[in-house]
Amino acid sequence: MKKNILISVGFLLAFVSCKEEKKSVETPKEITKPNIVIIYADDLGYGELGAYGATALKTPNLDRLANGGMRFTNGYASSATCTPSRYALLTGIYPWRNEQAKILPGTAPLIIDTAQNTIPKMLKKQGYHTGIVGKWHLGLGTGNVNWNERISPGPNEVGFDYSNILAATQDRVPTVYIENGHVVNLDPNDPIEVNYQENFEGEPTGLENPEMLKMKWHHGHNNSIVNGIPRIGFMKGGEAAKWVDEDMADYFLAEAQTYVKEHKDKPFFLYYALQQPHVPRTPHSRFVGASGMGPRGDVIVEADAMVGEFVKTLEAEGLLENTLIVFSSDNGPVVNDGYYDDSVEKLGDHTPAGVLRGGKYSLFEAGTRVPFFTYWKGKISSGVSDAMVSQLDLFSSIAALVDSNERTDDSQELLDLFLGQGQEGREQMVIEATSRTAFRQGDWAMIPPYDGPQINTQVNIELANSDAYLLYNLKEDIGQQNNLAKTNPEKLQQMIKAYEAIRSTEQMSVEQLELK
C-alpha cells in the first residue's frame, strides 16, 4: 500500500505502445519529491473551525482543506503551551524530556541543541530546501543575545536554510523580525537593548503611562509600549526595525509566498507558523469587524484568509498536487490572555474548545486536543479519522514519506494514516501542561494529582489540578464530567502503570503557572 502512495518519491516507469505490435519503453523518469508545508496556528482551539463544528466563526479556506483531506478528531499537540509543542513538533521528542521546554522569555537561549536531529535537518539530507516563516519561540543564541549583530544559534543552526521569524511571541519584546539571524531594517545608529528584569531609564511603560495605550492590559503585559500596545519585557532602541502589529499577517504571508516562488524548482519544506489568534489580537483594518466577535474572532478570520491566499500561490505555481499540507495548532484556546480586547464580551455562542473541557494551560482535553488535518490534492481522499495522532508523529511519518530511515523513540510512523490509507493511530501518549503531565490511552484519559488552583482566574481556565487522580472514559464522556477513578480502580491502576512505564516514577519538579 505504502509503495503505491509514495509514487512521488520513487521512479515511475511509463510504458507506451506503438501503433502496430511494436512496443517501446521510455527512459525511467524521476518524479519530484513532494513539497511539505506545516501550517501551525497559535492558541487555536478544537472548536474554532467550521470543519470542527464552529458555526459563529466562518473559516471557509481552512474548512476546504480540512474537508478535502484527512481530518483527525483525536489529533493532539504534545503540550498545552506553545514552546513545548513547537519543540516536540520539530524534534519528535516529548517536551518533558527537556526541562528547558517551557514558556520562554524573549531573551531565552536556544533550547534545541545544535547537534540534535530535527525535521528540517532530516529533510536537508534528502535534498530539501528548508524554511521557517513566522513565530519561533524556541530561544535564540546562548543567553546573552546582542540584537545588533548576527544572532546565533537559531533556526538556521538547527536545520533551516532560510528563516524569517519573530523571536518569541507577539506580546514579548524584542518586537522585530529576524531574517537569517539579522534584525530586519535595523539602524546601526539606533541599537536595540532588551531586558526582562528592569526598564531602561526614561522609557515609558504600560503600567506608568496608560495614556499612551491603544490596547489596555488585563494582567501582565504592562512593560514597554510598542505601537501603542504594552508588552512583556523592556526594550529600548531599534525604532526603524519595530514591526507594525496590524501588518504582521500580511508580512509573513508575503514571506511564505516568496519562499515558495523562489524554491519551487526543488523540493522544499516550509514551516509556516501563524501568530493568530495569540495576543495581542491586532487584525488588519480589512478584517476589523469581520467576525462580530471582536479582535480574537477577527484574527481567526484573518488567519483563514492568509491560508487561503497561500494555497492560491501553491496552485498558481503548479505545486498544489505535489505538496503535502499539515495544519494544526500549538495548544488549545484562551479567550482573555492578558489584554482587554472585547473577546470575552463578544464571544457570544462561540465555544473555542468545542465540546472539550479546559483550554490553554490545562491538562483537560481542550489543552492539547486541537484541529489537525492533512491535505494533498489528488493524493489524500476526503475523510475523517478518530485515530489518535500526535504532532510528535510528524517526524517519523515525514521521514517515511521521503524514504529516510531516521526515527525517534517518541515519534510513531503513521504515514499511511496521515495519507488516508490506514486506520491505526497511536495507542497511548503522555501530554504536558506547564510542567505537569497526564496520560491518554485508548478511550481513556488519566490525570495525576497536582497541587495548585483548580482554575486560573486570570484566564478563567480549569487547569485540572486535583488532590486525587482523575480518570475519564472519553468515548462516553468527552466533556470529562464524570471522574471514574474511585469506581474503576482496576482501570486506574492499569493506566498509572502504563503512564509510569513511559514517564517513569520520578516526576519533574512542577512549576506553578505564572502569567506575566
Side-chain angles (χ1 to χ4, degrees), residues 305-334:
M306 297 301 110
V307 172
E309 290 302 312
F310 177 74
V311 172
K312 285 181 185 177
T313 298
L314 290 175
E315 193 163 27
E317 297 297 330
L319 301 171
L320 197 56
E321 294 182 353
N322 194 41
T323 301
L324 169 64
I325 299 173
V326 181
F327 179 89
S328 196
S329 176
D330 61 352
N331 48 250
V334 56

Side-chain angles (χ1 to χ4, degrees), residues 60-358:
N61 297 292
L62 287 167
D63 293 346
R64 194 173 300 115
L65 296 178
N67 293 326
M70 183 54 55
R71 176 168 58 87
F72 295 97
T73 61
N74 274 290
Y76 288 82
S78 64
S79 174
T81 57
C82 52
T83 295
S85 289
R86 291 162 197 274
Y87 175 85
L89 174 77
L90 291 177
T91 65
I93 295 173
Y94 277 123
W96 46 264
R97 298 193 191 279
N98 181 345
E99 291 189 1
Q100 301 306 311
K102 54 190 176 183
I103 304 173
L104 298 176
T107 53
L110 179 68
I111 66 167
I112 299 177
D113 192 298
T114 55
Q116 190 170 348
N117 207 355
T118 62
I119 288 177
K121 275 189 180 181
M122 176 266 293
L123 289 173
K124 279 167 66 74
K125 296 174 189 173
Q126 300 300 317
Y128 278 73
H129 195 280
T130 59
I132 172 175
V133 168
K135 177 178 174 178
W136 178 239
H137 209 189
L138 287 163
L140 292 168
T142 57
N144 294 294
V145 172
N146 182 342
W147 304 97
N148 309 291
E149 298 177 351
R150 187 175 187 280
I151 302 159
S152 177
N156 301 86
E157 285 69 42
V158 295
F160 289 103
D161 294 308
Y162 177 78
S163 66
N164 196 324
I165 62 169
L166 59 99
T169 55
Q170 196 178 337
D171 57 346
R172 286 172 170 81
V173 298
T175 52
V176 295
Y177 301 123
I178 302 168
E179 184 177 28
N180 292 328
H182 296 280
V183 172
V184 177
N185 294 330
L186 178 63
D187 179 353
N189 296 314
D190 184 24
I192 294 173
E193 297 180 70
V194 175
N195 193 310
Y196 268 71
Q197 277 68 50
E198 57 183 357
N199 193 21
F200 300 96
E201 185 176 353
E203 293 295 311
T205 68
L207 181 63
E208 297 173 342
N209 304 92
E211 75 282 356
M212 297 179 62
L213 304 181
K214 67 181 182 185
M215 184 182 293
K216 295 180 180 179
W217 57 279
H218 178 272
H219 57 269
H221 301 91
N222 58 18
N223 301 149
S224 287
I225 302 169
V226 179
N227 192 27
I229 301 171
R231 314 286 170 153
I232 300 172
F234 303 99
M235 177 180 175
K236 180 181 179 181
E239 290 300 321
K242 290 179 179 177
W243 65 54
V244 176
D245 297 77
E246 292 81 359
D247 295 338
M248 185 176 289
D250 287 335
Y251 176 85
F252 283 130
L253 169 63
E255 290 300 314
Q257 291 171 317
T258 298
Y259 179 85
V260 164
K261 293 173 183 177
E262 290 183 350
H263 299 286
K264 63 182 180 181
D265 294 331
K266 66 180 291 187
F268 61 79
F269 165 64
L270 176 62
Y271 174 35
Y272 181 14
L274 307 172
Q275 89 277 10
Q276 303 104 327
H278 195 283
V279 294
R281 288 97 181 216
T282 54
H284 190 276
S285 59
R286 304 192 310 277
F287 299 97
V288 172
S291 69
M293 278 189 246
R296 186 176 187 277
D298 293 348
V299 298
I300 293 174
V301 173
E302 179 181 59
D304 178 75
M306 297 301 110
V307 172
E309 290 302 312
F310 177 74
V311 172
K312 285 181 185 177
T313 298
L314 290 175
E315 193 163 27
E317 297 297 330
L319 301 171
L320 197 56
E321 294 182 353
N322 194 41
T323 301
L324 169 64
I325 299 173
V326 181
F327 179 89
S328 196
S329 176
D330 61 352
N331 48 250
V334 56
V335 182
N336 177 352
D337 204 22
Y339 295 96
Y340 287 103
D341 63 1
D342 287 338
S343 294
V344 174
E345 293 80 358
K346 294 184 177 180
L347 193 61
D349 295 330
H350 180 58
T351 52
V355 296
L356 306 179
R357 185 177 181 182

